[in-house]
Amino acid sequence: MQTIDVKIEPSWKEVLKEEFSKPYFHDLVQFVKEEYQKHTVYPPGRQIFRAFEVCPFHHTKVVIIGQDPYHGPGQAHGLAFSVNDGVPIPPSLHNIFAEVQEDVGTPPPASGNLERWARQGVLLLNAILTVRAREAGSHRGKGWEQFTDAAIRALSQQKEHLVFLLWGRYAQEKGKVIDSTKHLVLEAPHPSPLARGFRGCRHFSKANAYLQAHGKEAIVW
């Protein structure tokens, strides 16, 4: 089957090149194209692979796994848990910022745009990269999960001493492909206010301690 020319950051394009010729990916591309033509879909098409663009494969140090993009107007821009500048901070992200403050002392920022994390090597990866407006989970089971599994598996197999932050059961299930003998895997409940137990997980200080113990720069959370 012909390989699709996907506009994705070069280091990730090399790592994931085998996926682009698989039948599931051809079906996925067709589905996504039709969805963007017929419906309002988030994020904007040019930002579908934004997480990979801002955090290249060779630069990745920490991986945070989300589920699918925010489905409200103007929120999603291709990074898990992150929203565009000027958009109200969603409840889960508010909890994340509160935990960061309690854990490492960084006060909550005015913006929920997490690109500053991504540029330091934090891959903010949703399992599903697109969603229909106001329909959470509407692009589930169409192939994105297989694609993002391949990305996580490549990181696990080809790199060492990464930190994977798995918040909630969904992310923890997805994390089963990670080799925990060569990476730090930290699990906690989802940061949603509907769940309990995320606050106090201290994942941000634990991640930095591990990175520094293996000769890597800490993340400025």
Side-chain angles (χ1 to χ4, degrees), residues 11-30:
S11 66
W12 280 108
K13 190 168 190 174
E14 176 63 25
V15 167
L16 296 170
K17 60 186 177 184
E18 290 183 9
E19 302 303 307
F20 304 138
S21 60
K22 292 180 178 178
Y24 89 86
F25 196 81
H26 282 249
D27 294 344
L28 171 62
V29 168
Q30 191 59 38

